[in-house]
Amino acid sequence: MTRYLVAIHHPDDYDPSVAEDEAMSRDIDAINDEMKAAGIRIFVGGLHPASSARSLRAQPGGEVVITEGPYLETKEHVGGFWVLEAADLNEALAWGRKAAVACRAPVEVRPFH
């Protein structure tokens, strides 16, 4: 069994209080319950907006500079994720499809080393 990251991507200005309605919450709860029942869910987590991130960059000489905001200047950021243990990529992609539908957002599936 390989572990996979299933990451949900939100637009930079995503506001869960506006975007997430009762139906979406039910759909996400349902996929979480289904993952638990299948025994593949290792960990799940939602993230605060990208604006709350702090980025750390090592400088020559060992100094580390901390800046406010995400590392990348992009229009989308990871908003939440699951860590799953699946038999293969096809199984992980099947869960990713369900996550994209439940979260109404793009999803990235990527294996761990």
Side-chain angles (χ1 to χ4, degrees), residues 23-96:
M24 185 175 172
S25 293
R26 278 194 309 272
D27 290 347
I28 293 170
D29 289 344
I31 192 173
N32 276 312
D33 292 344
E34 189 178 352
M35 287 175 175
K36 280 193 266 184
I40 60 125
R41 194 179 92 174
I42 303 298
F43 183 82
V44 62
L47 300 173
H48 285 273
S51 61
S52 68
R54 300 297 178 267
S55 298
L56 293 80
R57 291 178 181 84
Q59 304 296 306
E63 180 184 357
V64 175
V65 175
I66 301 172
T67 55
E68 291 186 9
Y71 173 70
L72 297 174
E73 296 292 327
T74 66
K75 294 182 181 182
E76 290 185 343
H77 298 278
V78 175
F81 62 92
W82 287 273
V83 175
L84 307 179
E85 194 161 59
D88 56 30
L89 179 59
N90 288 332
E91 182 183 8
L93 289 171
W95 287 106

